Every structure is written in C-alpha cells, then in structure tokens.
Amino acid sequence: MTEPLIFEHSRAGRYARAQAPNVRAELDLPPSLLRKSAPNLPEVSELQAVRHYTRLSQLNFSIDTHFYPLGSCTMKYNPRACNKLAMLPGLVDRHPLAPASHSQGFLQCMFELQEMLKSVTGMKAVSLTPMAGAQGELAGVLMIRAYHHARGDHHRNEILVPDAAHGTNPATATMCGMSVVELPTDADGDVDIAALEKAVGPNTAGIMLTNPSTVGVFERKIERIAKIVHAAGGLLYYDGANLNAILGKVRPGDMGFDVIHMNLHKIFARGRGGRGPGSGAVGVGERLKPFMPIPVVAQEEGKYRWLDERDLPQSIGRLSAFMGNAGVLLRAYVYMRMLGHDGMKRVAEFATLNANYLAARLKAAGFQLAYPGRRASHEFIITLKRLARDRGVTAMDVAKALLDYGYHAPTTYFPLLVPECLLIEPTETESKEALDGFIDAMCDIMERAVRDTEQLKGAPYTLPVRRLDDVRAARKLDVAWRPDSAA
Amino acid sequence: MSEVPSDLRYTSDHEWLREEDDGSVVVGITDHAQGALGELVFVEVPETGSDVTQGDACAVVESVKAASDVYAPLNGEILEVNEAIADAPEKVNQDPYGDGWLFRMRPHDAKDLDELLEAEAYQALLDELD
Amino acid sequence: MAFIPHTQGDISEMLAAIGAASINELFDEIPESLRVDDLPGIPEAIGEMEITRLMQARAAQDRGALCFIGAGAYEHHVPAAVWEITTRGEYYSAYTPYQAEASQGTLQLIYEYQSMMASLTGLDVSNASLYDGASAVAEAALMAVRANRRSKSRRILVPRTLSPVYTRVTSAIAGTQGISFERVDFDVATGTTPLAALSEWEGEDITALVIPQPGFLGCLEDVDALTDWAHAHGALVIAVVNPLSLALLRPPGEWGQAGADIACGEGQPLGVPLSSGGPYFGFMTTRMAHVRQMPGRIVGRTEDLDGKPGFTLTLQAREQHIRRSKATSNICTNQGLMVTAATIYMSLLGAEGLARVAAASHANTRQLADALCTVPGVDRAFATPCFHETVLKLDRPVAPVLKGLAEHDILGGFDLSADYPELGHAMLVCATETKTAEDIASYGRALSTVLKQLKVA
C-alpha cells in the first residue's frame, strides 16, 4: 500500500474554499516587497486533503495500533482524556501573553503541576519551561555552569558522562561549552567507581547520570557516587529518561542529585506525535534554585503569577519565546491527577514487573541477557552477538522481522557498548497477553533464523515498503518535491 | 583482511601518508577504516591553503551509520584537496590508497613523518584489534 | 489501577515466571535507605469524569476575551479537519520513525512538509522542524558559525527589531559557545533597521546578520539592502520570517542579489492553536550547500529493496545519537505533531487560501489602527508598511490602559515600553482574519471608555 504525494493530487485553481476568506483583501504594500510567483503548495479539496492524510496515518505503527517495546522511550498508552481536556476552549485558545487576570485557571494547573513534580522527584523547585528532554538537559548543565561561575569557579568546565549514556548528554555538555570526560561501565552495568575517583578533580563541574541507567539496571552505588562528586566540588545531574521505573519508589532528590530533567511527554503520557512535541521540565535542589530558567509560576495570596527576570535575576534565562510547551504540560497535569499518589507507584511496579517477566521468559527461551545477574528495571537488554557470529543475523534483522508480526522493534544498537543489542521496554500499560505474543514472535524468529536465514534477512515483507536504501538516500539527496521533479 | 601497502606511513587513527618527490605528503584513510565505516556518503575536506596542527580534526568522512573525524597527521599547510570525492565519495571505499585520497599537505618539518607508523607496526595494530 | 491491565492471576503467573515472591522484591537492588513509601504532595486519584469537571471549570475561568495581542503568537482560524486528523492515534501515539518501514505515513508527511517550507521560503531544503521560533534563531546562529568557514570572528549582528525575547533566548541557548551577539540599532522614525546602523561594522569580519521580516514592531525591513550589505562583508544572512506573510511577501531566497542563506521562524501561524505558548514549532530552511550544517532531522526519498519509492531519515550521522559530543546540536525530537497540523493546514489552504488569510490579517490590522487612531490620545508610531501588526502611541502609560481594557474583556496589545523605552508609551496591536468589523469597533469603544475613565481618575 502506498499513497501518492499530496502534490500529485493537486490541480490548478482548487482549494478548500470553506477555510479562507471569500475575497483577497486589498494590500497596502509597495510591489517591490511582494512575492512574484505563488509558492508550490498543493491545490486540493478538503476531502482530498482529509483522505490523503488519513491514508498516510494508516501507514504508521503507533501505540494505539501496535505494541511498541522501544527501550528508553517509554511508549505507554496515552489516555485520550489528556488530549481532550488540554484542548478545551479557554485553554487551547489562550494567548501566551494574556494578562494574569485572564489566566488564573491555566496558571493554577501549572502551579499544581510544579508542586506534584517536586513531590515525585524530591527536588526543591521546578521550572516547566524546557521544551524537550534535550532542552531540559541544556537547562540543567547551564544551571550547573551558572552556579560555578557565580562562585568564581570559572575553571570548572568538565562534565563526566558514562560511556553508556544517551548521546544527548555529551552533545549537551558540548553545547554548554563544557568538555566531556567519559566514564567506563563495569561488567555488572554500574559506573566504574575507581575510574570515577580518578576522573574527578578541581575542574569537575558535574556528572550526568541516568538511574536506572541506560543498560536497564539500578545504579546501586549512587550514594557513593554522589559523595565522590560532591566532595570534589561537582554537582549531580539526573537524566530523567528512565524515571518511569522508579516513580513513587525512590526519588532523585533523595539520591543526592542537584538537578533533574523529566521527559513529561513520555513518563506522564502525552502522545509522542511521531517525534515531538516533548517537555523537559527541570527540578532543582536548594543550591540551583536562583538559576532556574524562567518563567516559573508562583502563588501569592490565592492568585497565581509568573516569576520572571525581575524575580530571578540570576536565572539562566529564557529557553523559549513564551513558557514552553504548555499543551504538553496540561496533558501531564491531567494524567498525574488521574493516577494520584497510588497510581504513580503502580506505574513503577508494573513497568518493572512487565520488564522482568519479559526478560525471564526470553532468557528461558534461550536469549542471552546482557546483564543476567541483575534485576531488570523497567527495561533490559538482550544481545544477539552469538546469532550474528553463527548465522550472520543481526539485531537489525531481528528488529525488521518483528515488524512483520505487528510489533514495533525494540531499540537497536543502543547502548553502544553492548554488541548486537535490543533494548526492550514494555511499559506498565501492556497486558500479559501482549507480552506473551511478543515472546512467541521472538521465538519464531529465532527458529526461522536457523531454518531459513536468507529469508529472514529480507524482512520485512508485509509493510508498505521493504528495507530502504539509506546509502542512496544520503548520496542522492531528495529532500523536497518540485514541480519539475514530477515523474 | 584489509590491505596495508608496505611503502606508506600510518597513524593509529587509520590514516595513511605517502611522501611525494617534491616533499609534499598525500593523506587518505586506510582500507581498514573505509571497511569499518561502510559505504561513505559524504567527505568533507579541509580548505586549500589552511594551516593544520597535528591531531586537529581537519576532515570528516561520513557513512549512513557514522561520521568520523580525520585528524591532521602532521603540522603543515594544505596544498590540494581531492575535489572528485565530493561527488563520488564511493571512490574512498573502492580505492582508498589511490583515487580515494583526501588531501595533499606540506609538512612544516619533514622529519615528523618519520615518527609515524610503518606498515608492519600498523599491521600489528590491526591484528590487535581483531 | 489507572491504566494497568493486570489481573491478580496475571500477577501471580508473572511473578512465578520471574521467580520472585512479590512485586516489591523486584526493587531489592535499590538501597533500603533511599526508598520512599508515600508521595504526600500528590492528591488521591480522580476519574475521567471528575477531572473533566475540574478542567472545564479551569478553562472557563480563562475564556471569553477578544484578543488583539500578537507579539510572536497569532490567533488564526484552524480548520476542524486539521486537528481531527492530527490527533488520530496513528499520528498522535507514534514515535520517531527510526523503523522507516513502519513509519511511512509520518515520513512522507514530513517530506511533504519540507517541500512546502522550501518553496514558501524560496530555499532548497528544510529540516523536519525545531522546538519554536526563538530556539530556531539560536540554532540558526550556531549553524551559521559552522557554515561560514571563511569567517573566523564568530560575531553575529542582531537588529533590535528582532523580537526581544528571541534575542534573549538566543543568548541563553547559544551564549556559552564563544559567539558574540552584537546589537544593531533601529530608526525610531521608521521602526526598521537602516543601512546606516551597520556602518559601525564596515570592513569587519562578520559571521552572520540576522534580518527579521517583518520586524517585531510590525514594520517591513529593506531586506534587499541588508542582505547585500551582509554578503558584501562575507556574512551569511539569517532571515527570521513569519511563514504566513510569505504567502504575500518576497521569500528569503529572493532577497537582494543572492538571497538569504538560512530562513527560520515560528511555525505557529500555520494551523497551530495559541495554547498558552506551546507546543509550537520552529522551522528552518537553507541552501543545499549548507544542508550538512543544518540541525534537526531531515527526511529523504529513496527506494526499497524492490526499487519501490519510500521515505527515510537521512543525514543522521550528524546527529546526537551517533555523533555524541560532536553533533550539530543536542536536539532529538522535532515538533512532529505540530508539523502534521501545519502540513494539513497548508494543504487545505493552498497558496491562494494562505494569501487570503494573510491579506485579511493585513487589512484588519490597518482597519484596527484606523479605528483606534480616531480615539483622542492615540496615534500611529510609524508610517512604514506593515504586515499584520503595528505600533500605536498613547498619550499616557500603556500598562493601566491594557489593564482597563482587560476589564472589558479586550486583550488590547503588547506593552513595548520595557523593551523599547525610546518609543515612549507604545503598544503593539494585531488583528488577524479572525476579527470582524464589530470586534474592531468594540475595541475602539472600550479604548475610548478606558481613556476617559483614566483621565477622570
């Protein structure tokens, strides 16, 4: 099944007439400023647009249609109410610069969200403004930098990052003008403490950690790590990518972290929207409070208002034109209220139960776990290096084969330090039946890998397209349709 | 088994160097390096006339799965770059020691070349990797 | 249990398969000293019915005003089909299309979006979007430093007619990387950036010049002269544009002799609701020569094993998940869902519909200014051509006037006095195609009343 480009449905002079003013108003502009030829936008009817984009949607896998065990991405069910209520009139059409007199309903939701996030993370204050996890990271590292600079420690410009970390961690540190010092991971998946002790020093600005880590296990020596880094004068940054695993069980603030970002869009169930929008709210400890990105909501005498540059003069500043991804924050607010404090804990419990069950069953079926001696957190890694060696079947081949069974592939080739790996995260919203179906598919694939290797390596066979030629895509860049490029 | 011509010098970052009669040095990436990167889709070369310092990233080779820096193997000036690989990066895969060369430079001190690995030492380094 | 499907029977079977006695045992690697039992700051769970009542009440508190504020976020009619389709589960609950075969819908849509944005801005290639307009300018500045290899100065000229908040965001995001952002003054008589303001940098090494069109004060800049000046000085041109205005105005790719090098801006006017400031999306387009320096994701058309056309993410090797500390940016997500909405919006409107929306907004703002200037004490600040925003000068401080208007449920505009004190009591107003003649008249009546009352007081 394929669908032509929208441009191929286009005919000159057609458009959705109900959607634009009846006439083109006179312009009071000098001709020299005006466009000479119209842009190449499609000319289609409303039905044609609706049908085209509905058909395109049907070419996608999504949580609403498929199990999506994508490790480190927490692809859980997005309750419909979250979306519907965030789009209520009054919220969806509120101008970001509307005065406080016309914003109390919205501001109250934001204030309460800040308070709930403080409680669930154990941090002292929260700013909701970063627009994605990566921007939350940026805010976090900028705050660490601002903290050291405010103390005159301008030389502290090294950020320690475990080698298993998300790629954004080192990329963010670089963006903040820091240099990156990589830390090795020990055989059990924990940070190598001896290497850490050697790496810290007078130039240490901080360390960026994910806990549970990207290899799907809880960093057991976290208290020791915090002590070592703090003793060296550095701060601890918590990458909240895996927060789902520990909600209501253990809090980053109690582990000794000074700053944390939360991926509200995934942990608190706002749809992923084919990659974005996200929200990367940050939480801070006492020391970093003055440096929080603005604006932040405050409550004064029963009224709510924004705190800005005047209230937080040491702030790292603004990261977006207004206050961040308000719509995502509203969805997170609705979700957290529906879960309540007990529900929060159950998220961690059942995410962990599902992951450990899947890990145990796959191990029993002959799959090799990367860290067999450890409890899985909410995700775990299997390595297919034996299969790759013996049969030439790679993690990518298995990932593609899963698509034919109607399962989205787990995360492949991350973290980089485990060869031929699949990082699997089932989330708490999947039923046992869904997990059992996935296990059956994995076993079937394994059997086919031995019986008919070549056939398996050609997968997928049942999707709108087969494997795509990435080399061609990069060498002969075709990134925009033009009228003259029509076939 | 990747090819390691005996008449070239090498760096531990998988670059090769060939000294020309006029004292200039041609630089490329080794057969092992191109094999490890996979099919190249883009090569960014340094600017002609620019001065480079040993160890600085001065070119980038990019495949669909990785983008790797190529480090200046010596201190010196870039005399010429291989324009042909801009349109045909696959030349680096097909002929890494010939048509797939990256740039030609004039070292500030010709003796620096002697510090680099000889074929045997580079081969030993590759054997260790396997 | 919120959204958890497990029965008691499931739990027992699953624990047996794991070999654990209880769910709590699964957390036994977490040090005892760190565990918490309760989250006192989080209320009891409520059901969908209760949260619906609560959110309806909160939303109702903020409803009902007529909004004439623009200043970077614009109220436009959004066709019903846009969000009906955008919130289909197959778009709403999908993720980054790493598995291209299972994401052809999202990928093809982004390819169509890229095509539309490239054409709208008159440039060759678009990325799949950035967070918002302000952060897009920051990313464009970083990109210009990478792309302009001849310039060694890392100096970027930023006119004061660029949105003040964009300027602040750009410094916050890109300010730690040794880039010097230098302010170019504007002409208080015209509200634009005169060439003379650039004379300070005559003959110097400049990496890039930012050119907003329209400027924050609503006025249209002499983009040709500014572009040519920049190119004559070896600087790249970063155009910051309102995409809706490009249905009418000359696109950045056609500015001056050679055209702008990078275009970026806020995509919200293209079918994205105001929603308190986000999620919106930033867009960015450029020339093919700079494509590898562009941050964010890019979709390309290619072929599958059978030679059938298909779409995939391309040029990924530049990105954070592969290049790590050497990536072009730390950015991962784009604003996928917003791009979905914008693409459907542009398809429904087409070039003609978009031009009509833009022209109606332009004409309404002119009518608004005419109407308000009949009120004594109100005057236009500039005679310069505008797109759909303009500055009005009052004979007294703006803040109390806006407060008075808000009491009449009129959100009257944006107070400029903090950011542009040299303009005196100035405010920025906007009337998009959503405003009727009656809306404009009621603003006029309210303003007249408020000014009279304030005078009495």
Side-chain angles (χ1 to χ4, degrees), chain A residues 12 25 61 71-72 87 95 111 174 180 216 221 255 266 269-270 278 280 314 332-333 360-361 430 435 455 475 478:
Chain A
F61 275 28
S72 119
M87 296 192 75
H95 194 285
F111 181 78
T174 306
V180 174
K221 290 173 261 179
M255 295 184 218
K266 64 185 196 189
R270 176 261 178 279
Q314 286 184 290
Y333 174 76
R361 290 279 320 271
E430 295 297 335
L435 305 185
Q455 200 271 347
R475 279 187 184 161
D478 172 1

PDB file of all heavy atoms in Angstrom, chain A residues 12 25 61 71-72 87 95 111 174 180 216 221 255 266 269-270 278 280 314 332-333 360-361 430 435 455 475 478:
ATOM      1  N   ALA A  12      -4.577  22.929 -10.581  1.00  0.00           N
ATOM      2  CA  ALA A  12      -4.554  24.389 -10.511  1.00  0.00           C
ATOM      3  C   ALA A  12      -5.950  24.948 -10.246  1.00  0.00           C
ATOM      4  O   ALA A  12      -6.934  24.514 -10.853  1.00  0.00           O
ATOM      5  CB  ALA A  12      -4.002  24.963 -11.809  1.00  0.00           C
ATOM      6  N   ALA A  25      -8.237  40.466   0.259  1.00  0.00           N
ATOM      7  CA  ALA A  25      -8.302  41.887   0.606  1.00  0.00           C
ATOM      8  C   ALA A  25      -7.217  42.665  -0.125  1.00  0.00           C
ATOM      9  O   ALA A  25      -6.169  42.116  -0.480  1.00  0.00           O
ATOM     10  CB  ALA A  25      -8.143  42.050   2.117  1.00  0.00           C
ATOM     11  N   PHE A  61       2.945   2.585  12.309  1.00  0.00           N
ATOM     12  CA  PHE A  61       2.734   1.893  13.583  1.00  0.00           C
ATOM     13  C   PHE A  61       2.560   2.987  14.640  1.00  0.00           C
ATOM     14  O   PHE A  61       3.134   4.063  14.525  1.00  0.00           O
ATOM     15  CB  PHE A  61       3.956   1.055  13.959  1.00  0.00           C
ATOM     16  CG  PHE A  61       3.980  -0.318  13.358  1.00  0.00           C
ATOM     17  CD1 PHE A  61       3.348  -0.585  12.149  1.00  0.00           C
ATOM     18  CD2 PHE A  61       4.645  -1.362  14.008  1.00  0.00           C
ATOM     19  CE1 PHE A  61       3.388  -1.863  11.593  1.00  0.00           C
ATOM     20  CE2 PHE A  61       4.689  -2.641  13.458  1.00  0.00           C
ATOM     21  CZ  PHE A  61       4.067  -2.896  12.257  1.00  0.00           C
ATOM     22  N   GLY A  71      12.909   0.510  23.851  1.00  0.00           N
ATOM     23  CA  GLY A  71      13.673   0.785  25.062  1.00  0.00           C
ATOM     24  C   GLY A  71      14.117   2.223  25.149  1.00  0.00           C
ATOM     25  O   GLY A  71      14.473   2.840  24.154  1.00  0.00           O
ATOM     26  N   SER A  72      14.068   2.737  26.365  1.00  0.00           N
ATOM     27  CA  SER A  72      14.472   4.101  26.721  1.00  0.00           C
ATOM     28  C   SER A  72      13.510   5.143  26.142  1.00  0.00           C
ATOM     29  O   SER A  72      13.777   6.332  26.211  1.00  0.00           O
ATOM     30  CB  SER A  72      15.947   4.362  26.366  1.00  0.00           C
ATOM     31  OG  SER A  72      16.121   5.376  25.454  1.00  0.00           O
ATOM     32  N   MET A  87      -7.332  20.487  25.218  1.00  0.00           N
ATOM     33  CA  MET A  87      -7.806  21.252  24.066  1.00  0.00           C
ATOM     34  C   MET A  87      -9.168  21.893  24.310  1.00  0.00           C
ATOM     35  O   MET A  87      -9.849  22.294  23.362  1.00  0.00           O
ATOM     36  CB  MET A  87      -7.786  20.372  22.814  1.00  0.00           C
ATOM     37  CG  MET A  87      -6.345  19.978  22.478  1.00  0.00           C
ATOM     38  SD  MET A  87      -6.043  19.220  20.868  1.00  0.00           S
ATOM     39  CE  MET A  87      -6.161  20.572  19.742  1.00  0.00           C
ATOM     40  N   HIS A  95      -4.004  33.157  24.725  1.00  0.00           N
ATOM     41  CA  HIS A  95      -2.767  33.750  24.212  1.00  0.00           C
ATOM     42  C   HIS A  95      -1.683  33.696  25.293  1.00  0.00           C
ATOM     43  O   HIS A  95      -1.965  33.966  26.466  1.00  0.00           O
ATOM     44  CB  HIS A  95      -3.005  35.199  23.770  1.00  0.00           C
ATOM     45  CG  HIS A  95      -1.877  35.744  22.946  1.00  0.00           C
ATOM     46  ND1 HIS A  95      -0.670  36.117  23.494  1.00  0.00           N
ATOM     47  CD2 HIS A  95      -1.751  35.944  21.607  1.00  0.00           C
ATOM     48  CE1 HIS A  95       0.143  36.526  22.524  1.00  0.00           C
ATOM     49  NE2 HIS A  95      -0.484  36.421  21.372  1.00  0.00           N
ATOM     50  N   PHE A 111       0.877  25.641  38.408  1.00  0.00           N
ATOM     51  CA  PHE A 111       1.428  25.689  39.754  1.00  0.00           C
ATOM     52  C   PHE A 111       1.295  24.324  40.428  1.00  0.00           C
ATOM     53  O   PHE A 111       2.250  23.803  41.016  1.00  0.00           O
ATOM     54  CB  PHE A 111       0.716  26.761  40.585  1.00  0.00           C
ATOM     55  CG  PHE A 111       1.261  26.882  41.971  1.00  0.00           C
ATOM     56  CD1 PHE A 111       2.445  27.563  42.210  1.00  0.00           C
ATOM     57  CD2 PHE A 111       0.603  26.281  43.049  1.00  0.00           C
ATOM     58  CE1 PHE A 111       2.973  27.655  43.498  1.00  0.00           C
ATOM     59  CE2 PHE A 111       1.129  26.371  44.333  1.00  0.00           C
ATOM     60  CZ  PHE A 111       2.314  27.058  44.557  1.00  0.00           C
ATOM     61  N   THR A 174      28.719  19.708  25.400  1.00  0.00           N
ATOM     62  CA  THR A 174      29.476  20.474  24.411  1.00  0.00           C
ATOM     63  C   THR A 174      28.770  21.789  24.093  1.00  0.00           C
ATOM     64  O   THR A 174      29.395  22.837  24.004  1.00  0.00           O
ATOM     65  CB  THR A 174      29.656  19.660  23.120  1.00  0.00           C
ATOM     66  OG1 THR A 174      30.231  18.417  23.477  1.00  0.00           O
ATOM     67  CG2 THR A 174      30.565  20.374  22.144  1.00  0.00           C
ATOM     68  N   VAL A 180      33.879  16.968  27.745  1.00  0.00           N
ATOM     69  CA  VAL A 180      33.266  15.724  28.209  1.00  0.00           C
ATOM     70  C   VAL A 180      34.342  14.735  28.613  1.00  0.00           C
ATOM     71  O   VAL A 180      35.300  14.511  27.881  1.00  0.00           O
ATOM     72  CB  VAL A 180      32.400  15.120  27.085  1.00  0.00           C
ATOM     73  CG1 VAL A 180      31.865  13.757  27.488  1.00  0.00           C
ATOM     74  CG2 VAL A 180      31.265  16.075  26.727  1.00  0.00           C
ATOM     75  N   GLY A 216      19.640  -0.524  31.762  1.00  0.00           N
ATOM     76  CA  GLY A 216      18.445  -1.140  32.330  1.00  0.00           C
ATOM     77  C   GLY A 216      18.615  -1.697  33.721  1.00  0.00           C
ATOM     78  O   GLY A 216      17.885  -2.619  34.120  1.00  0.00           O
ATOM     79  N   LYS A 221      25.446   1.991  43.489  1.00  0.00           N
ATOM     80  CA  LYS A 221      26.408   2.768  44.263  1.00  0.00           C
ATOM     81  C   LYS A 221      26.149   4.260  44.164  1.00  0.00           C
ATOM     82  O   LYS A 221      27.061   5.062  44.338  1.00  0.00           O
ATOM     83  CB  LYS A 221      27.821   2.422  43.780  1.00  0.00           C
ATOM     84  CG  LYS A 221      28.229   1.013  44.180  1.00  0.00           C
ATOM     85  CD  LYS A 221      29.541   0.609  43.562  1.00  0.00           C
ATOM     86  CE  LYS A 221      29.340  -0.252  42.327  1.00  0.00           C
ATOM     87  NZ  LYS A 221      30.509  -0.689  41.634  1.00  0.00           N
ATOM     88  N   MET A 255      18.514  10.715  46.258  1.00  0.00           N
ATOM     89  CA  MET A 255      19.764  10.051  45.858  1.00  0.00           C
ATOM     90  C   MET A 255      20.935  11.022  45.864  1.00  0.00           C
ATOM     91  O   MET A 255      22.073  10.621  45.666  1.00  0.00           O
ATOM     92  CB  MET A 255      19.637   9.493  44.424  1.00  0.00           C
ATOM     93  CG  MET A 255      18.630   8.382  44.225  1.00  0.00           C
ATOM     94  SD  MET A 255      18.748   7.824  42.482  1.00  0.00           S
ATOM     95  CE  MET A 255      17.057   7.522  42.067  1.00  0.00           C
ATOM     96  N   LYS A 266       6.755  11.525  27.920  1.00  0.00           N
ATOM     97  CA  LYS A 266       6.673  10.067  27.902  1.00  0.00           C
ATOM     98  C   LYS A 266       6.283   9.490  29.254  1.00  0.00           C
ATOM     99  O   LYS A 266       5.477   8.579  29.320  1.00  0.00           O
ATOM    100  CB  LYS A 266       7.963   9.448  27.387  1.00  0.00           C
ATOM    101  CG  LYS A 266       9.188   9.675  28.219  1.00  0.00           C
ATOM    102  CD  LYS A 266      10.387   9.095  27.466  1.00  0.00           C
ATOM    103  CE  LYS A 266      11.587   8.926  28.363  1.00  0.00           C
ATOM    104  NZ  LYS A 266      12.774   8.566  27.598  1.00  0.00           N
ATOM    105  N   ALA A 269       2.680  10.555  29.881  1.00  0.00           N
ATOM    106  CA  ALA A 269       1.695  10.129  28.905  1.00  0.00           C
ATOM    107  C   ALA A 269       1.031  11.197  28.061  1.00  0.00           C
ATOM    108  O   ALA A 269      -0.163  11.306  28.003  1.00  0.00           O
ATOM    109  CB  ALA A 269       0.625   9.306  29.604  1.00  0.00           C
ATOM    110  N   ARG A 270       1.833  11.957  27.408  1.00  0.00           N
ATOM    111  CA  ARG A 270       1.289  12.786  26.372  1.00  0.00           C
ATOM    112  C   ARG A 270       1.787  12.121  25.080  1.00  0.00           C
ATOM    113  O   ARG A 270       2.890  11.632  25.032  1.00  0.00           O
ATOM    114  CB  ARG A 270       1.894  14.180  26.546  1.00  0.00           C
ATOM    115  CG  ARG A 270       1.516  15.162  25.491  1.00  0.00           C
ATOM    116  CD  ARG A 270       2.598  15.291  24.439  1.00  0.00           C
ATOM    117  NE  ARG A 270       2.133  16.229  23.433  1.00  0.00           N
ATOM    118  CZ  ARG A 270       1.304  15.868  22.481  1.00  0.00           C
ATOM    119  NH1 ARG A 270       0.859  14.641  22.428  1.00  0.00           N
ATOM    120  NH2 ARG A 270       0.922  16.730  21.584  1.00  0.00           N
ATOM    121  N   GLY A 278       7.766  17.505  22.913  1.00  0.00           N
ATOM    122  CA  GLY A 278       8.090  16.944  24.204  1.00  0.00           C
ATOM    123  C   GLY A 278       7.924  17.992  25.275  1.00  0.00           C
ATOM    124  O   GLY A 278       7.299  19.029  25.064  1.00  0.00           O
ATOM    125  N   GLY A 280      10.537  19.047  28.803  1.00  0.00           N
ATOM    126  CA  GLY A 280      11.673  18.628  29.628  1.00  0.00           C
ATOM    127  C   GLY A 280      11.794  19.424  30.905  1.00  0.00           C
ATOM    128  O   GLY A 280      12.854  19.950  31.218  1.00  0.00           O
ATOM    129  N   GLN A 314      19.307  35.906  38.691  1.00  0.00           N
ATOM    130  CA  GLN A 314      20.449  35.041  38.332  1.00  0.00           C
ATOM    131  C   GLN A 314      20.050  33.913  37.383  1.00  0.00           C
ATOM    132  O   GLN A 314      20.867  33.051  37.053  1.00  0.00           O
ATOM    133  CB  GLN A 314      21.054  34.432  39.593  1.00  0.00           C
ATOM    134  CG  GLN A 314      21.875  35.420  40.418  1.00  0.00           C
ATOM    135  CD  GLN A 314      22.524  34.707  41.587  1.00  0.00           C
ATOM    136  OE1 GLN A 314      21.842  34.298  42.525  1.00  0.00           O
ATOM    137  NE2 GLN A 314      23.824  34.523  41.518  1.00  0.00           N
ATOM    138  N   ALA A 332       0.107  16.398  30.969  1.00  0.00           N
ATOM    139  CA  ALA A 332       0.796  15.755  32.090  1.00  0.00           C
ATOM    140  C   ALA A 332       0.027  15.997  33.387  1.00  0.00           C
ATOM    141  O   ALA A 332      -0.100  15.107  34.237  1.00  0.00           O
ATOM    142  CB  ALA A 332       2.224  16.286  32.210  1.00  0.00           C
ATOM    143  N   TYR A 333      -0.501  17.200  33.534  1.00  0.00           N
ATOM    144  CA  TYR A 333      -1.264  17.533  34.738  1.00  0.00           C
ATOM    145  C   TYR A 333      -2.493  16.621  34.865  1.00  0.00           C
ATOM    146  O   TYR A 333      -2.741  16.017  35.912  1.00  0.00           O
ATOM    147  CB  TYR A 333      -1.694  19.006  34.692  1.00  0.00           C
ATOM    148  CG  TYR A 333      -2.604  19.397  35.829  1.00  0.00           C
ATOM    149  CD1 TYR A 333      -2.089  19.592  37.109  1.00  0.00           C
ATOM    150  CD2 TYR A 333      -3.982  19.535  35.641  1.00  0.00           C
ATOM    151  CE1 TYR A 333      -2.919  19.918  38.168  1.00  0.00           C
ATOM    152  CE2 TYR A 333      -4.822  19.866  36.695  1.00  0.00           C
ATOM    153  CZ  TYR A 333      -4.292  20.055  37.954  1.00  0.00           C
ATOM    154  OH  TYR A 333      -5.108  20.374  39.010  1.00  0.00           O
ATOM    155  N   ALA A 360      12.691 -12.685  31.925  1.00  0.00           N
ATOM    156  CA  ALA A 360      12.770 -14.062  32.433  1.00  0.00           C
ATOM    157  C   ALA A 360      12.305 -15.052  31.365  1.00  0.00           C
ATOM    158  O   ALA A 360      12.950 -16.086  31.132  1.00  0.00           O
ATOM    159  CB  ALA A 360      11.913 -14.204  33.697  1.00  0.00           C
ATOM    160  N   ARG A 361      11.208 -14.727  30.693  1.00  0.00           N
ATOM    161  CA  ARG A 361      10.683 -15.646  29.677  1.00  0.00           C
ATOM    162  C   ARG A 361      11.630 -15.735  28.477  1.00  0.00           C
ATOM    163  O   ARG A 361      11.830 -16.809  27.915  1.00  0.00           O
ATOM    164  CB  ARG A 361       9.301 -15.188  29.217  1.00  0.00           C
ATOM    165  CG  ARG A 361       8.171 -15.335  30.238  1.00  0.00           C
ATOM    166  CD  ARG A 361       7.591 -16.759  30.303  1.00  0.00           C
ATOM    167  NE  ARG A 361       7.460 -17.379  28.993  1.00  0.00           N
ATOM    168  CZ  ARG A 361       6.383 -17.293  28.194  1.00  0.00           C
ATOM    169  NH1 ARG A 361       5.329 -16.618  28.617  1.00  0.00           N
ATOM    170  NH2 ARG A 361       6.360 -17.893  27.033  1.00  0.00           N
ATOM    171  N   GLU A 430       0.896  -2.478  29.097  1.00  0.00           N
ATOM    172  CA  GLU A 430       0.698  -3.663  28.263  1.00  0.00           C
ATOM    173  C   GLU A 430       0.240  -4.849  29.107  1.00  0.00           C
ATOM    174  O   GLU A 430       0.728  -5.075  30.208  1.00  0.00           O
ATOM    175  CB  GLU A 430       1.995  -4.028  27.529  1.00  0.00           C
ATOM    176  CG  GLU A 430       2.437  -2.983  26.513  1.00  0.00           C
ATOM    177  CD  GLU A 430       1.446  -2.773  25.362  1.00  0.00           C
ATOM    178  OE1 GLU A 430       0.658  -3.699  25.053  1.00  0.00           O
ATOM    179  OE2 GLU A 430       1.467  -1.666  24.778  1.00  0.00           O
ATOM    180  N   LEU A 435       2.467  -9.305  26.014  1.00  0.00           N
ATOM    181  CA  LEU A 435       3.862  -9.723  26.222  1.00  0.00           C
ATOM    182  C   LEU A 435       4.070 -11.150  25.722  1.00  0.00           C
ATOM    183  O   LEU A 435       5.084 -11.460  25.093  1.00  0.00           O
ATOM    184  CB  LEU A 435       4.233  -9.626  27.707  1.00  0.00           C
ATOM    185  CG  LEU A 435       4.009  -8.272  28.385  1.00  0.00           C
ATOM    186  CD1 LEU A 435       4.533  -8.318  29.817  1.00  0.00           C
ATOM    187  CD2 LEU A 435       4.692  -7.143  27.621  1.00  0.00           C
ATOM    188  N   GLN A 455      15.941 -15.852   4.060  1.00  0.00           N
ATOM    189  CA  GLN A 455      14.573 -15.351   4.011  1.00  0.00           C
ATOM    190  C   GLN A 455      14.363 -14.347   5.138  1.00  0.00           C
ATOM    191  O   GLN A 455      13.794 -13.280   4.956  1.00  0.00           O
ATOM    192  CB  GLN A 455      13.601 -16.538   4.129  1.00  0.00           C
ATOM    193  CG  GLN A 455      12.195 -16.258   3.620  1.00  0.00           C
ATOM    194  CD  GLN A 455      11.277 -15.689   4.696  1.00  0.00           C
ATOM    195  OE1 GLN A 455      11.605 -15.716   5.872  1.00  0.00           O
ATOM    196  NE2 GLN A 455      10.137 -15.160   4.270  1.00  0.00           N
ATOM    197  N   ARG A 475      23.301   9.753  -0.544  1.00  0.00           N
ATOM    198  CA  ARG A 475      24.156  10.167  -1.670  1.00  0.00           C
ATOM    199  C   ARG A 475      23.392  11.000  -2.681  1.00  0.00           C
ATOM    200  O   ARG A 475      23.912  11.963  -3.222  1.00  0.00           O
ATOM    201  CB  ARG A 475      24.735   8.936  -2.369  1.00  0.00           C
ATOM    202  CG  ARG A 475      25.943   8.368  -1.648  1.00  0.00           C
ATOM    203  CD  ARG A 475      26.580   7.256  -2.473  1.00  0.00           C
ATOM    204  NE  ARG A 475      27.675   6.663  -1.726  1.00  0.00           N
ATOM    205  CZ  ARG A 475      28.194   5.470  -1.998  1.00  0.00           C
ATOM    206  NH1 ARG A 475      27.698   4.747  -2.983  1.00  0.00           N
ATOM    207  NH2 ARG A 475      29.187   5.009  -1.290  1.00  0.00           N
ATOM    208  N   ASP A 478      17.247  13.653  -1.944  1.00  0.00           N
ATOM    209  CA  ASP A 478      15.975  14.130  -2.483  1.00  0.00           C
ATOM    210  C   ASP A 478      15.120  14.466  -1.274  1.00  0.00           C
ATOM    211  O   ASP A 478      14.491  13.600  -0.673  1.00  0.00           O
ATOM    212  CB  ASP A 478      15.330  13.032  -3.340  1.00  0.00           C
ATOM    213  CG  ASP A 478      13.908  13.393  -3.761  1.00  0.00           C
ATOM    214  OD1 ASP A 478      13.419  14.493  -3.408  1.00  0.00           O
ATOM    215  OD2 ASP A 478      13.267  12.562  -4.437  1.00  0.00           O
TER     216      ASP A 478
END
